[in-house]
Amino acid sequence: MPENLHKLFVVSSPSGGGKTSLIAKIFEDPRSSNFQKSISDTSRKRRMGDIEGKDYYFVSKEDFELKIQNDQYLEYARVFENYYGTSREEIETKFQHSNLILELDWQGAYAIKKLFDKAQLIFLLPPSLETLKDRLKKRNLDTSESIEKRFLEAKKEIKKSREYDFLILNDDFNRALADLKLILFEEITPKNFKSRVRKELVKRLVE
């Protein structure tokens, strides 16, 4: 894919980690006028409140697998029995005209980094696993069984955060938002970013 002068950011977190809410808030800032969000395809069923073309493009499992066969995805993964993927057309169209934010899991983030070596990877970390589990329960989107699966998967995801360019501690929404804005709008480098995430926290979260 041709180089351009725009920037590409990937934001990841475990389920319930706050990435969707923080990204939504980013687009309320006037400085986001030169940013767009990449919308992923998914084969999962719509939840209450989901909006086609804003949250996801909802496709059938059969259509998703057909697109895989036709090499229409830059990256895709199967998570909790559902497919999620970033279409080539989505990226090619938006990235040529603006900076781009992708909301992906670690598998997608790694895949995008291989294709775009200048992509900046941002991972949101909870202050504790207990806090993360509580957030999963409060959002009231999953069954108890699903929450347990997501909670167990969270440790694996957090381990992968060590390879990210930026780590943001989401202990307080406004502080996490300020850190995210610093990365996106102020173009701070990983070297100069003062992360509030300590190595001891990551170690504690994955033990």
mmCIF file of all heavy atoms in Angstrom, residues 12-20 104-106 123-126 129 132 135-136 139 150-151 153-159 161 205:
data_model
loop_
_atom_site.group_PDB
_atom_site.id
_atom_site.type_symbol
_atom_site.label_atom_id
_atom_site.label_comp_id
_atom_site.label_asym_id
_atom_site.label_seq_id
_atom_site.Cartn_x
_atom_site.Cartn_y
_atom_site.Cartn_z
ATOM 1 N N SER A 12 -5.975 -0.732 21.478
ATOM 2 C CA SER A 12 -6.393 -2.056 21.949
ATOM 3 C C SER A 12 -6.607 -2.029 23.456
ATOM 4 O O SER A 12 -6.078 -1.169 24.165
ATOM 5 C CB SER A 12 -5.330 -3.113 21.634
ATOM 6 O OG SER A 12 -4.994 -3.149 20.272
ATOM 7 N N SER A 13 -7.369 -3.008 23.915
ATOM 8 C CA SER A 13 -7.542 -3.224 25.354
ATOM 9 C C SER A 13 -8.253 -4.554 25.511
ATOM 10 O O SER A 13 -8.846 -5.064 24.552
ATOM 11 C CB SER A 13 -8.371 -2.108 26.004
ATOM 12 O OG SER A 13 -9.745 -2.255 25.689
ATOM 13 N N PRO A 14 -8.243 -5.134 26.705
ATOM 14 C CA PRO A 14 -9.099 -6.307 26.933
ATOM 15 C C PRO A 14 -10.556 -5.881 26.822
ATOM 16 O O PRO A 14 -10.871 -4.692 26.879
ATOM 17 C CB PRO A 14 -8.750 -6.728 28.375
ATOM 18 C CG PRO A 14 -7.502 -6.005 28.724
ATOM 19 C CD PRO A 14 -7.487 -4.757 27.909
ATOM 20 N N SER A 15 -11.463 -6.833 26.668
ATOM 21 C CA SER A 15 -12.898 -6.517 26.676
ATOM 22 C C SER A 15 -13.238 -5.779 27.967
ATOM 23 O O SER A 15 -12.826 -6.194 29.053
ATOM 24 C CB SER A 15 -13.728 -7.803 26.600
ATOM 25 O OG SER A 15 -13.560 -8.424 25.356
ATOM 26 N N GLY A 16 -13.947 -4.670 27.843
ATOM 27 C CA GLY A 16 -14.282 -3.881 29.017
ATOM 28 C C GLY A 16 -13.197 -2.906 29.422
ATOM 29 O O GLY A 16 -13.306 -2.233 30.445
ATOM 30 N N GLY A 17 -12.156 -2.809 28.596
ATOM 31 C CA GLY A 17 -11.017 -1.952 28.933
ATOM 32 C C GLY A 17 -11.223 -0.485 28.642
ATOM 33 O O GLY A 17 -10.387 0.347 29.020
ATOM 34 N N GLY A 18 -12.289 -0.135 27.934
ATOM 35 C CA GLY A 18 -12.628 1.269 27.742
ATOM 36 C C GLY A 18 -12.270 1.866 26.394
ATOM 37 O O GLY A 18 -12.490 3.065 26.181
ATOM 38 N N LYS A 19 -11.763 1.062 25.459
ATOM 39 C CA LYS A 19 -11.303 1.649 24.189
ATOM 40 C C LYS A 19 -12.429 2.283 23.384
ATOM 41 O O LYS A 19 -12.251 3.363 22.810
ATOM 42 C CB LYS A 19 -10.553 0.613 23.349
ATOM 43 C CG LYS A 19 -11.315 -0.645 23.003
ATOM 44 C CD LYS A 19 -10.403 -1.641 22.270
ATOM 45 C CE LYS A 19 -11.140 -2.926 21.915
ATOM 46 N NZ LYS A 19 -11.537 -3.697 23.111
ATOM 47 N N THR A 20 -13.584 1.638 23.340
ATOM 48 C CA THR A 20 -14.692 2.171 22.536
ATOM 49 C C THR A 20 -15.160 3.525 23.058
ATOM 50 O O THR A 20 -15.366 4.472 22.290
ATOM 51 C CB THR A 20 -15.864 1.177 22.514
ATOM 52 O OG1 THR A 20 -15.409 -0.068 21.969
ATOM 53 C CG2 THR A 20 -17.008 1.704 21.658
ATOM 54 N N LEU A 104 -8.697 -2.437 17.575
ATOM 55 C CA LEU A 104 -8.442 -3.842 17.294
ATOM 56 C C LEU A 104 -7.909 -4.572 18.518
ATOM 57 O O LEU A 104 -7.392 -3.951 19.452
ATOM 58 C CB LEU A 104 -7.395 -3.981 16.167
ATOM 59 C CG LEU A 104 -7.725 -3.350 14.813
ATOM 60 C CD1 LEU A 104 -6.510 -3.440 13.898
ATOM 61 C CD2 LEU A 104 -8.931 -4.019 14.178
ATOM 62 N N ASP A 105 -8.004 -5.901 18.488
ATOM 63 C CA ASP A 105 -7.347 -6.691 19.528
ATOM 64 C C ASP A 105 -5.874 -6.826 19.170
ATOM 65 O O ASP A 105 -5.412 -6.322 18.133
ATOM 66 C CB ASP A 105 -8.023 -8.057 19.705
ATOM 67 C CG ASP A 105 -7.859 -8.962 18.483
ATOM 68 O OD1 ASP A 105 -7.140 -8.603 17.528
ATOM 69 O OD2 ASP A 105 -8.469 -10.051 18.485
ATOM 70 N N TRP A 106 -5.107 -7.508 20.020
ATOM 71 C CA TRP A 106 -3.662 -7.574 19.809
ATOM 72 C C TRP A 106 -3.302 -8.296 18.510
ATOM 73 O O TRP A 106 -2.314 -7.940 17.852
ATOM 74 C CB TRP A 106 -2.978 -8.249 20.996
ATOM 75 C CG TRP A 106 -3.257 -9.717 21.140
ATOM 76 C CD1 TRP A 106 -4.240 -10.295 21.879
ATOM 77 C CD2 TRP A 106 -2.551 -10.799 20.512
ATOM 78 N NE1 TRP A 106 -4.198 -11.658 21.749
ATOM 79 C CE2 TRP A 106 -3.167 -12.003 20.932
ATOM 80 C CE3 TRP A 106 -1.455 -10.864 19.657
ATOM 81 C CZ2 TRP A 106 -2.725 -13.258 20.513
ATOM 82 C CZ3 TRP A 106 -1.008 -12.115 19.231
ATOM 83 C CH2 TRP A 106 -1.637 -13.284 19.663
ATOM 84 N N PHE A 123 -2.118 0.629 23.915
ATOM 85 C CA PHE A 123 -2.850 -0.368 24.708
ATOM 86 C C PHE A 123 -3.353 0.275 25.994
ATOM 87 O O PHE A 123 -2.601 0.937 26.712
ATOM 88 C CB PHE A 123 -1.955 -1.557 25.053
ATOM 89 C CG PHE A 123 -2.715 -2.799 25.437
ATOM 90 C CD1 PHE A 123 -2.954 -3.799 24.508
ATOM 91 C CD2 PHE A 123 -3.200 -2.972 26.734
ATOM 92 C CE1 PHE A 123 -3.664 -4.941 24.844
ATOM 93 C CE2 PHE A 123 -3.911 -4.105 27.087
ATOM 94 C CZ PHE A 123 -4.141 -5.100 26.132
ATOM 95 N N LEU A 124 -4.641 0.052 26.286
ATOM 96 C CA LEU A 124 -5.266 0.560 27.511
ATOM 97 C C LEU A 124 -5.284 -0.540 28.561
ATOM 98 O O LEU A 124 -5.778 -1.636 28.306
ATOM 99 C CB LEU A 124 -6.697 1.009 27.231
ATOM 100 C CG LEU A 124 -6.903 2.014 26.096
ATOM 101 C CD1 LEU A 124 -8.391 2.222 25.849
ATOM 102 C CD2 LEU A 124 -6.234 3.335 26.425
ATOM 103 N N LEU A 125 -4.764 -0.241 29.726
ATOM 104 C CA LEU A 125 -4.690 -1.221 30.803
ATOM 105 C C LEU A 125 -5.569 -0.827 31.983
ATOM 106 O O LEU A 125 -5.624 0.353 32.357
ATOM 107 C CB LEU A 125 -3.246 -1.354 31.300
ATOM 108 C CG LEU A 125 -2.287 -2.083 30.363
ATOM 109 C CD1 LEU A 125 -0.859 -1.669 30.647
ATOM 110 C CD2 LEU A 125 -2.447 -3.582 30.515
ATOM 111 N N PRO A 126 -6.257 -1.796 32.583
ATOM 112 C CA PRO A 126 -7.052 -1.496 33.790
ATOM 113 C C PRO A 126 -6.132 -1.426 35.003
ATOM 114 O O PRO A 126 -5.021 -1.977 34.983
ATOM 115 C CB PRO A 126 -7.978 -2.710 33.880
ATOM 116 C CG PRO A 126 -7.148 -3.838 33.326
ATOM 117 C CD PRO A 126 -6.333 -3.223 32.209
ATOM 118 N N LEU A 129 -7.416 -6.452 37.731
ATOM 119 C CA LEU A 129 -8.321 -7.393 37.069
ATOM 120 C C LEU A 129 -9.713 -7.331 37.680
ATOM 121 O O LEU A 129 -10.713 -7.556 36.997
ATOM 122 C CB LEU A 129 -7.756 -8.812 37.161
ATOM 123 C CG LEU A 129 -6.507 -9.098 36.320
ATOM 124 C CD1 LEU A 129 -5.994 -10.505 36.582
ATOM 125 C CD2 LEU A 129 -6.806 -8.924 34.833
ATOM 126 N N LEU A 132 -11.537 -4.602 35.994
ATOM 127 C CA LEU A 132 -11.925 -5.019 34.648
ATOM 128 C C LEU A 132 -13.168 -5.905 34.687
ATOM 129 O O LEU A 132 -14.106 -5.714 33.904
ATOM 130 C CB LEU A 132 -10.768 -5.763 33.980
ATOM 131 C CG LEU A 132 -11.019 -6.209 32.533
ATOM 132 C CD1 LEU A 132 -11.169 -5.007 31.626
ATOM 133 C CD2 LEU A 132 -9.877 -7.101 32.051
ATOM 134 N N ARG A 135 -16.221 -3.893 35.367
ATOM 135 C CA ARG A 135 -16.666 -3.132 34.191
ATOM 136 C C ARG A 135 -17.423 -4.033 33.219
ATOM 137 O O ARG A 135 -18.412 -3.608 32.615
ATOM 138 C CB ARG A 135 -15.456 -2.503 33.494
ATOM 139 C CG ARG A 135 -14.832 -1.341 34.261
ATOM 140 C CD ARG A 135 -13.554 -0.869 33.593
ATOM 141 N NE ARG A 135 -12.933 0.231 34.333
ATOM 142 C CZ ARG A 135 -11.710 0.705 34.075
ATOM 143 N NH1 ARG A 135 -10.993 0.174 33.102
ATOM 144 N NH2 ARG A 135 -11.213 1.706 34.790
ATOM 145 N N LEU A 136 -16.950 -5.248 33.059
ATOM 146 C CA LEU A 136 -17.634 -6.194 32.174
ATOM 147 C C LEU A 136 -19.051 -6.472 32.661
ATOM 148 O O LEU A 136 -19.995 -6.564 31.876
ATOM 149 C CB LEU A 136 -16.840 -7.501 32.090
ATOM 150 C CG LEU A 136 -15.598 -7.500 31.208
ATOM 151 C CD1 LEU A 136 -14.786 -8.781 31.433
ATOM 152 C CD2 LEU A 136 -15.960 -7.368 29.737
ATOM 153 N N ARG A 139 -21.433 -3.243 32.182
ATOM 154 C CA ARG A 139 -21.887 -2.850 30.849
ATOM 155 C C ARG A 139 -23.081 -3.691 30.397
ATOM 156 O O ARG A 139 -23.753 -3.358 29.432
ATOM 157 C CB ARG A 139 -20.738 -2.921 29.834
ATOM 158 C CG ARG A 139 -20.251 -4.308 29.487
ATOM 159 C CD ARG A 139 -19.117 -4.232 28.481
ATOM 160 N NE ARG A 139 -18.804 -5.539 27.915
ATOM 161 C CZ ARG A 139 -17.938 -5.737 26.917
ATOM 162 N NH1 ARG A 139 -17.321 -4.694 26.386
ATOM 163 N NH2 ARG A 139 -17.702 -6.936 26.454
ATOM 164 N N ARG A 150 -14.130 -13.872 28.709
ATOM 165 C CA ARG A 150 -13.434 -12.625 28.397
ATOM 166 C C ARG A 150 -12.426 -12.276 29.489
ATOM 167 O O ARG A 150 -11.342 -11.760 29.213
ATOM 168 C CB ARG A 150 -14.449 -11.485 28.224
ATOM 169 C CG ARG A 150 -15.312 -11.646 26.981
ATOM 170 C CD ARG A 150 -16.356 -10.537 26.862
ATOM 171 N NE ARG A 150 -17.241 -10.762 25.735
ATOM 172 C CZ ARG A 150 -16.973 -10.435 24.475
ATOM 173 N NH1 ARG A 150 -15.824 -9.850 24.197
ATOM 174 N NH2 ARG A 150 -17.836 -10.684 23.509
ATOM 175 N N PHE A 151 -12.792 -12.570 30.723
ATOM 176 C CA PHE A 151 -11.909 -12.284 31.847
ATOM 177 C C PHE A 151 -10.644 -13.137 31.772
ATOM 178 O O PHE A 151 -9.530 -12.649 31.984
ATOM 179 C CB PHE A 151 -12.653 -12.548 33.157
ATOM 180 C CG PHE A 151 -11.855 -12.209 34.387
ATOM 181 C CD1 PHE A 151 -11.544 -10.901 34.688
ATOM 182 C CD2 PHE A 151 -11.434 -13.206 35.246
ATOM 183 C CE1 PHE A 151 -10.823 -10.579 35.830
ATOM 184 C CE2 PHE A 151 -10.714 -12.911 36.392
ATOM 185 C CZ PHE A 151 -10.408 -11.593 36.685
ATOM 186 N N GLU A 153 -9.396 -14.459 29.072
ATOM 187 C CA GLU A 153 -8.652 -14.042 27.877
ATOM 188 C C GLU A 153 -7.879 -12.750 28.129
ATOM 189 O O GLU A 153 -6.846 -12.498 27.495
ATOM 190 C CB GLU A 153 -9.624 -13.845 26.708
ATOM 191 C CG GLU A 153 -8.979 -13.599 25.370
ATOM 192 C CD GLU A 153 -8.218 -14.791 24.816
ATOM 193 O OE1 GLU A 153 -8.505 -15.936 25.231
ATOM 194 O OE2 GLU A 153 -7.333 -14.566 23.967
ATOM 195 N N ALA A 154 -8.360 -11.946 29.063
ATOM 196 C CA ALA A 154 -7.746 -10.642 29.331
ATOM 197 C C ALA A 154 -6.278 -10.765 29.709
ATOM 198 O O ALA A 154 -5.448 -9.959 29.277
ATOM 199 C CB ALA A 154 -8.514 -9.921 30.440
ATOM 200 N N LYS A 155 -5.932 -11.758 30.511
ATOM 201 C CA LYS A 155 -4.537 -11.928 30.915
ATOM 202 C C LYS A 155 -3.634 -12.169 29.713
ATOM 203 O O LYS A 155 -2.528 -11.631 29.625
ATOM 204 C CB LYS A 155 -4.407 -13.096 31.902
ATOM 205 C CG LYS A 155 -4.949 -12.803 33.289
ATOM 206 C CD LYS A 155 -4.610 -13.923 34.243
ATOM 207 C CE LYS A 155 -5.072 -13.624 35.654
ATOM 208 N NZ LYS A 155 -4.668 -14.677 36.612
ATOM 209 N N LYS A 156 -4.113 -12.983 28.772
ATOM 210 C CA LYS A 156 -3.330 -13.262 27.562
ATOM 211 C C LYS A 156 -3.139 -11.976 26.752
ATOM 212 O O LYS A 156 -2.057 -11.715 26.226
ATOM 213 C CB LYS A 156 -4.039 -14.303 26.699
ATOM 214 C CG LYS A 156 -4.230 -15.652 27.374
ATOM 215 C CD LYS A 156 -5.012 -16.604 26.469
ATOM 216 C CE LYS A 156 -5.327 -17.905 27.170
ATOM 217 N NZ LYS A 156 -6.150 -18.808 26.312
ATOM 218 N N GLU A 157 -4.216 -11.189 26.670
ATOM 219 C CA GLU A 157 -4.146 -9.946 25.908
ATOM 220 C C GLU A 157 -3.184 -8.964 26.560
ATOM 221 O O GLU A 157 -2.407 -8.289 25.875
ATOM 222 C CB GLU A 157 -5.540 -9.328 25.801
ATOM 223 C CG GLU A 157 -6.519 -10.170 24.995
ATOM 224 C CD GLU A 157 -7.910 -9.563 24.974
ATOM 225 O OE1 GLU A 157 -8.622 -9.704 25.980
ATOM 226 O OE2 GLU A 157 -8.259 -8.953 23.954
ATOM 227 N N ILE A 158 -3.234 -8.858 27.876
ATOM 228 C CA ILE A 158 -2.382 -7.910 28.591
ATOM 229 C C ILE A 158 -0.910 -8.272 28.417
ATOM 230 O O ILE A 158 -0.046 -7.391 28.314
ATOM 231 C CB ILE A 158 -2.774 -7.839 30.078
ATOM 232 C CG1 ILE A 158 -4.150 -7.164 30.209
ATOM 233 C CG2 ILE A 158 -1.742 -7.070 30.895
ATOM 234 C CD1 ILE A 158 -4.769 -7.263 31.579
ATOM 235 N N LYS A 159 -0.596 -9.554 28.341
ATOM 236 C CA LYS A 159 0.788 -9.978 28.084
ATOM 237 C C LYS A 159 1.308 -9.390 26.783
ATOM 238 O O LYS A 159 2.478 -9.021 26.669
ATOM 239 C CB LYS A 159 0.881 -11.506 28.041
ATOM 240 C CG LYS A 159 0.856 -12.192 29.388
ATOM 241 C CD LYS A 159 1.019 -13.694 29.227
ATOM 242 C CE LYS A 159 0.970 -14.387 30.580
ATOM 243 N NZ LYS A 159 1.104 -15.868 30.445
ATOM 244 N N SER A 161 0.595 -6.614 25.516
ATOM 245 C CA SER A 161 0.741 -5.159 25.571
ATOM 246 C C SER A 161 2.200 -4.733 25.656
ATOM 247 O O SER A 161 2.535 -3.580 25.353
ATOM 248 C CB SER A 161 -0.029 -4.595 26.770
ATOM 249 O OG SER A 161 0.608 -4.927 27.995
ATOM 250 N N LEU A 205 -0.952 -8.019 36.711
ATOM 251 C CA LEU A 205 -2.143 -8.308 35.931
ATOM 252 C C LEU A 205 -2.077 -9.644 35.202
ATOM 253 O O LEU A 205 -3.108 -10.262 34.944
ATOM 254 C CB LEU A 205 -2.385 -7.195 34.902
ATOM 255 C CG LEU A 205 -2.834 -5.831 35.457
ATOM 256 C CD1 LEU A 205 -2.837 -4.781 34.353
ATOM 257 C CD2 LEU A 205 -4.204 -5.925 36.111
#
